[in-house]
């Protein structure tokens, strides 16, 4: 039939899966977790742990592949809290990787989840290893009790009061004031040194706890008692700031989780029953009150209702839905009590899918993030070595007294914490992904976000992407003795069961005319050429005009005229007799032209790649003022994308099965939210609103994320470089160094959080 029609698999069309909306996006790597655990917030023992060690679970190859689980391995997961930066996650991964039987350990920082794959049941061993590293895990049956805010800050409050008392006492009794500073330092140093020892035993020697322990103990030894105590106060203050900043960085994800109610009202034989979401199955009927959110994806049973879908699509205006429409979880019923039929399985609603994609996004890290991660692993040991050299070499060479150089070396230790550096990129990427999800775009990871920011061209499929994808039969041209009704019935028989928009239009036209559609057998798809089947004893074919041989000049002229008017034409052949042609016409999306204009303003060129005939393609391209390539088979699209990608970063936007190979070949694949499941799986990003107007804002957000990452790296490295020089010159001391480190971490996180306020 038509070039867009076939995927090239050679299977009958009826065997293809129907097109699925976003709420049915398949999971390429489902996170099927057998143990869910909630853990109470910890304070002293679960602070920031800027581990710079290399861990098996975090090497670049593993990040790029995302999932290397062994066949037959058992998955487990726990919920973790108290992580202040990705270094904390790395410490947990390092500890768990050493457990016998563990094949993979991964901490998803954005959702605070520990995922473990093992050859056997290693739950108890994992919990012991994590506890040994200074963290805690709990089972689902444990109840997490929220502690009062002052309890989380009790060490900071105690140290601050002791430092204040020591300062006041020093004015009246300097000796006793100094001794109280020593006591204050020992009190504050004990939990930090204990955490450093725990990290060291679990395989993470280069942590902020280690650096603080060495710096504070060293300051105590050389007699800088007041500064040692002040450093610990500032360290505790920095810990609390980082904890708050980390929680804010994850707020975009937690807000999505909050969109999902904990229970639902299920209708059972006329009775209403409050049930958990896990108890809902496809086919169940539920009620949602006005002002309440949908707990799962559902099909509307109520005749008409208005919904606020802004939480998932970014569309600010309420949308009117009618009976039979599918509504995504998280949408809010505006004006009435509605009844819906559940269509999603437990854990597979639109919100679940988004959360899973964001979790999986951490396994597809941006190249800059992988580089910073590798750099941070050697940064802290190098700074510790430099600190040792500063302490020892100048005094040995006679460049000064020992104590001043030891003090400078201890100050350099505090500069060795890579907290701000490590969190600068993932904080921005997590915020960017969450902001994109709220604006109607799913981006599968930091790597995809970075490629999106570098795009210079976009290639578009035509049917279902630039056009509405709902063509209608516009004319039937008779070349033989067969009537229009007979031609349409035979065509519908061949196309019945297919999911392509043109096939659907032919079948719908036959049904609208109340025609009897005969049964077709032996359907065979010819990729980019057409489709054939047997109807009774007759061989029926629907072919593209370019595949036809032997057409008369009059027939060719009529087909050419139809195509010049922007119609798609397919030729109907019975055995060897040309019966005529069917002409179909599709409408441009209302937002197509404005969307392409917005892309042009961003410096992005647009190109249409279509299997349709050149004349129909030219008509569409002329309306949109873009270039085009027509009469392309699926393999031709891939070749075109490969050629163009070598010239500049290129994205492929499509919705069909035959677009999937081209999406994979492009720098970035973008799927329309209503596209087929194959296209959605192949894509690096998807438009949940199914609107091209989301493309430009998505690129603006990606570019803004890249800009913020660069700003964060400049802040993190710039401050450390400044304090490295000022420390060696003797201009800054211990307390300023630790304040600068904590301040830089809070600053880069706050800068990243600006992405959560982004509105298209």
């Amino acid at each position: 039939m038509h070039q867009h029609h076939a995927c090239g698999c050679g299977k009958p069309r009826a065997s293809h899966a129907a097109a699925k909306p976003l709420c049915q996006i398949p999971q390429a790597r489902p996170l099927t977790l057998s143990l869910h655990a909630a853990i109470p917030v910890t304070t002293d023992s679960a602070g920031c742990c800027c581990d710079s060690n290399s861990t098996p679970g975090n090497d670049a190859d593993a990040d790029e592949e995302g999932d290397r689980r062994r066949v037959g391995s058992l998955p487990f997961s726990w919920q973790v809290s108290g992580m202040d930066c990705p270094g904390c996650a790395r410490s947990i991964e390092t500890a768990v990787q050493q457990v016998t039987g563990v094949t993979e350990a991964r901490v998803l920082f954005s959702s605070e989840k520990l995922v473990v794959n093992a050859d056997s049941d290693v739950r108890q061993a994992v919990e012991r290893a994590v506890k040994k590293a200074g963290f805690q895990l709990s089972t689902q049956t444990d109840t997490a009790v929220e502690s009062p805010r002052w309890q989380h800050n009790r060490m900071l409050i105690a140290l601050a009061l002791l430092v204040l008392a020591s300062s006041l006492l020093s004015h009246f009794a300097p000796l006793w004031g100094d001794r109280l500073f020593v006591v204050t330092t020992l009190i504050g140093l004990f939990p930090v040194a204990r955490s450093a020892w725990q990290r060291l035993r679990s395989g993470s020697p280069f942590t902020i706890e280690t650096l603080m322990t060495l710096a504070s103990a060293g300051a105590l030894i050389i007699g800088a008692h007041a500064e040692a105590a002040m450093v610990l106060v500032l360290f505790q203050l920095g810990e609390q700031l980082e904890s708050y900043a980390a929680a804010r960085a994850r707020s975009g994800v937690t807000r999505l989780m909050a969109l999902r109610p904990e229970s639902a009202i299920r209708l059972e034989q006329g009775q209403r029953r409050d049930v958990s979401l896990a108890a809902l199955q496809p086919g169940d009927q539920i009620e949602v009150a006005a002002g309440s959110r949908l707990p799962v994806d559902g099909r509307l049973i109520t005749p008409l209702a208005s919904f606020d879908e802004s939480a998932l699509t970014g569309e600010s205006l309420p949308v009117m839905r009618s009976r039979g429409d599918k509504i995504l979880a998280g949408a809010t019923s505006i004006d009435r009590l509605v009844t819906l039929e559940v269509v999603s399985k437990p854990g597979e609603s639109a919100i679940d899918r988004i959360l899973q994609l964001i979790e999986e996004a951490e396994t597809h890290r941006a190249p800059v993030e992988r580089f910073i991660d590798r750099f941070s692993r050697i940064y802290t040991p190098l700074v510790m070595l430099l600190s040792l050299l500063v302490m020892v070499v100048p005094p040995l060479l006679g460049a000064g007294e020992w104590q001043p150089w030891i003090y400078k070396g201890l100050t350099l230790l505090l500069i060795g914490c890579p907290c701000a550096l490590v969190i600068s990129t993932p904080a921005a990427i997590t915020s960017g992904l969450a902001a994109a999800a709220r604006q109607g775009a799913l981006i599968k990871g930091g790597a995809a976000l970075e490629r999106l920011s570098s795009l210079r061209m976009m290639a578009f499929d035509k049917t279902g992407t630039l056009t509405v994808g709902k063509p209608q039969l516009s004319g039937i041209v008779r070349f033989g003795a067969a009537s229009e009704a007979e031609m349409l019935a035979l065509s519908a028989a061949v196309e019945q069961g297919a999911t392509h928009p043109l096939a659907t239009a032919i079948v719908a036209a036959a049904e609208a005319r109340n025609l009897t559609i005969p049964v077709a057998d032996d359907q065979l798809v010819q990729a980019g050429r057409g489709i054939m089947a047997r109807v009774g004893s007759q061989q029926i074919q629907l072919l593209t005009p370019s595949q036809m041989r032997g057409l008369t000049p009059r027939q060719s002229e009529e087909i050419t005229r139809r195509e010049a008017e922007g119609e798609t034409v397919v030729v109907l052949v019975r055995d060897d007799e040309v019966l005529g042609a069917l002409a179909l016409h599709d409408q441009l999306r209302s937002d197509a032209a404005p969307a392409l204009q917005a892309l042009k303003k961003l410096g992005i060129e647009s190109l249409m790649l279509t299997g349709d005939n050149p004349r129909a393609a030219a008509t569409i391209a002329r309306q949109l003022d873009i270039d085009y390539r027509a009469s392309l088979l699926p393999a031709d699209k891939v070749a075109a994308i490969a050629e163009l990608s070598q010239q500049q970063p290129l994205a492929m936007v499509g919705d069909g099965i035959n677009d999937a190979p081209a999406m994979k070949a492009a720098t970035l694949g973008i799927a329309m939210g209503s596209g087929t499941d194959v296209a959605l799986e192949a894509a690096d990003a998807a438009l949940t609103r199914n609107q091209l107007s989301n493309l430009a804002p998505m690129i603006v957000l990606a570019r803004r994320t890249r800009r913020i990452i660069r700003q964060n790296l400049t802040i993190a490295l710039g401050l450390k470089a400044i304090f490295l020089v000022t420390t060696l010159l003797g201009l800054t001391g211990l307390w300023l160094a630790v304040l600068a480190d904590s301040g830089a971490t809070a600053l880069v996180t706050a800068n990243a959080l600006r992405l959560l306020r982004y509105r298209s």
Side-chain angles (χ1 to χ4, degrees), residues 153-416:
N153 301 318
R154 59 181 181 272
M155 180 57 71
L156 172 61
I157 295 172
L159 288 178
L161 292 175
L162 285 172
V163 167
L164 179 61
S166 302
S167 300
L168 293 175
L169 186 59
S170 297
H171 288 290
F172 305 103
L175 178 61
W176 287 102
D178 186 65
R179 290 175 178 175
L180 188 54
F181 272 123
V182 173
V183 173
T184 302
T185 302
L186 293 176
I187 292 174
L189 187 58
F190 175 75
V192 179
R194 182 183 59 187
S195 295
W197 174 245
Q198 290 172 328
R199 308 290 194 276
L200 178 65
R201 290 173 59 200
S202 64
S204 301
F206 302 114
T207 65
I208 181 60
E209 287 82 9
T210 301
L211 298 176
M212 284 301 308
T213 300
L214 294 175
S216 300
L220 207 58
I221 292 172
I222 64 174
H225 302 157
E227 288 197 75
M230 193 63 190
V231 161
L232 290 169
V233 172
L234 293 174
F235 171 68
Q236 290 293 337
L237 176 61
E239 289 289 274
Q240 297 305 318
L241 289 175
E242 289 173 5
S243 179
Y244 172 76
R248 290 282 295 144
R250 290 187 289 261
S251 62
V253 178
T254 55
R255 287 174 187 170
L256 286 174
M257 296 175 67
L259 295 178
R260 180 178 49 195
E262 296 296 327
S263 62
I265 302 298
R266 184 170 63 188
L267 302 179
E268 299 178 357
Q269 298 178 348
Q271 300 295 319
R272 293 171 175 81
R273 183 182 175 191
D274 195 340
V275 299
S276 66
L277 300 190
L280 293 178
Q281 295 294 332
D284 290 348
Q285 289 191 6
I286 61 173
E287 274 190 353
V288 178
S292 299
R293 294 189 183 276
L294 272 65
V296 292
D297 301 336
R299 182 177 290 106
L300 188 62
I301 296 176
T302 303
L304 284 173
S306 181
F307 291 90
D308 176 4
E309 300 178 354
S310 59
L312 283 177
T313 68
E315 178 58 58
S316 58
L317 296 177
V319 180
M320 182 63 69
R321 299 295 185 184
S322 57
R323 181 185 287 116
D325 288 348
K326 290 182 179 178
I327 318 296
L328 301 183
T332 302
S333 176
I334 296 293
D335 55 357
R336 69 195 67 186
L337 176 73
V338 294
T339 305
L340 302 103
E341 177 188 348
V342 176
V343 297
S344 61
K345 296 180 180 179
E348 296 185 8
S349 71
I351 294 176
D352 294 316
R353 300 277 184 180
I354 292 173
L355 292 172
Q356 288 162 359
L357 285 175
I358 291 177
E359 286 182 350
E360 291 184 6
E362 295 192 25
T363 66
H364 302 279
R365 301 195 300 170
V368 64
E369 187 177 0
R370 294 198 299 272
F371 170 76
I372 292 300
D373 184 59
R374 290 192 296 268
F375 174 74
S376 67
R377 294 171 186 172
I378 63 172
Y379 172 78
T380 300
L382 285 178
V383 172
M384 292 182 72
L385 177 60
L386 175 64
S387 174
L388 179 62
L389 293 176
V390 167
M391 291 182 190
V392 175
V393 174
L396 290 179
L397 295 179
E401 299 294 328
W402 281 91
Q403 185 165 334
W405 285 107
I406 291 176
Y407 182 85
K408 292 178 181 180
L410 294 175
T411 305
L412 286 180
L413 279 178
L414 301 179
I415 301 175

Side-chain angles (χ1 to χ4, degrees), residues 300-587:
L300 188 62
I301 296 176
T302 303
L304 284 173
S306 181
F307 291 90
D308 176 4
E309 300 178 354
S310 59
L312 283 177
T313 68
E315 178 58 58
S316 58
L317 296 177
V319 180
M320 182 63 69
R321 299 295 185 184
S322 57
R323 181 185 287 116
D325 288 348
K326 290 182 179 178
I327 318 296
L328 301 183
T332 302
S333 176
I334 296 293
D335 55 357
R336 69 195 67 186
L337 176 73
V338 294
T339 305
L340 302 103
E341 177 188 348
V342 176
V343 297
S344 61
K345 296 180 180 179
E348 296 185 8
S349 71
I351 294 176
D352 294 316
R353 300 277 184 180
I354 292 173
L355 292 172
Q356 288 162 359
L357 285 175
I358 291 177
E359 286 182 350
E360 291 184 6
E362 295 192 25
T363 66
H364 302 279
R365 301 195 300 170
V368 64
E369 187 177 0
R370 294 198 299 272
F371 170 76
I372 292 300
D373 184 59
R374 290 192 296 268
F375 174 74
S376 67
R377 294 171 186 172
I378 63 172
Y379 172 78
T380 300
L382 285 178
V383 172
M384 292 182 72
L385 177 60
L386 175 64
S387 174
L388 179 62
L389 293 176
V390 167
M391 291 182 190
V392 175
V393 174
L396 290 179
L397 295 179
E401 299 294 328
W402 281 91
Q403 185 165 334
W405 285 107
I406 291 176
Y407 182 85
K408 292 178 181 180
L410 294 175
T411 305
L412 286 180
L413 279 178
L414 301 179
I415 301 175
C417 173
C419 267
L421 186 62
V422 171
I423 203 173
S424 60
T425 302
I429 288 176
T430 300
S431 299
L433 295 177
R438 292 210 311 267
Q439 295 300 315
L442 292 183
I443 304 172
K444 300 180 182 179
L449 194 66
E450 184 169 317
R451 294 198 300 273
L452 183 63
S453 68
S454 65
L455 291 181
R456 289 295 175 266
M457 176 179 279
M458 278 197 180
F460 294 86
D461 172 46
K462 181 176 79 70
T463 305
T465 303
L466 292 175
T467 63
V468 176
K470 296 181 179 180
Q472 296 179 346
L473 183 68
S474 55
I476 299 177
V477 183
R478 296 171 57 200
F479 293 153
S483 66
E484 291 189 2
E486 183 182 1
M487 290 174 57
L488 185 55
L490 290 174
S491 301
V494 176
E495 295 284 20
Q496 196 159 27
T499 59
H500 191 277
L502 297 183
T504 305
I506 292 174
V507 175
E511 292 175 344
R513 299 189 186 190
N514 296 319
L515 299 180
T516 301
I517 302 176
V519 177
D521 300 310
D522 301 328
Q523 288 173 308
L524 178 63
V525 172
Q526 296 174 303
R529 295 174 175 84
I531 184 172
M532 66 176 62
R534 294 199 65 82
V535 179
S537 61
Q538 302 171 332
Q539 183 76 32
I540 307 298
Q541 298 181 78
L542 281 172
L543 300 173
T544 60
S546 62
Q547 302 302 313
M548 290 300 301
R549 299 293 181 268
L551 291 175
T552 66
R554 185 183 68 83
Q555 293 170 347
S556 297
E557 182 182 348
E558 178 62 21
I559 291 175
T560 300
R561 185 184 67 83
R562 292 275 186 171
E563 291 179 339
E565 294 175 355
E567 294 178 320
T568 300
V569 179
V570 292
V571 180
L572 176 64
V573 181
R574 179 170 59 189
D575 294 330
D576 294 326
E577 178 189 3
V578 179
L579 297 183
L582 277 66
L584 301 102
H585 184 69
D586 196 3
Q587 296 292 325

Side-chain angles (χ1 to χ4, degrees), residues 113-187:
K113 183 182 291 184
L114 167 63
V115 180
V116 174
N117 286 275
D119 294 330
S120 58
D121 189 346
V122 294
R123 284 175 288 186
Q124 293 184 355
V126 167
E127 291 172 5
R128 285 196 299 269
V130 174
K131 184 177 181 179
K132 182 180 177 182
F135 295 86
Q136 296 179 12
L137 297 175
S138 61
T139 64
Q140 190 175 18
T141 56
D142 293 336
T143 302
V145 180
E146 185 68 24
S147 302
R149 182 176 297 273
W150 70 268
Q151 289 190 17
H152 296 285
N153 301 318
R154 59 181 181 272
M155 180 57 71
L156 172 61
I157 295 172
L159 288 178
L161 292 175
L162 285 172
V163 167
L164 179 61
S166 302
S167 300
L168 293 175
L169 186 59
S170 297
H171 288 290
F172 305 103
L175 178 61
W176 287 102
D178 186 65
R179 290 175 178 175
L180 188 54
F181 272 123
V182 173
V183 173
T184 302
T185 302
L186 293 176
I187 292 174

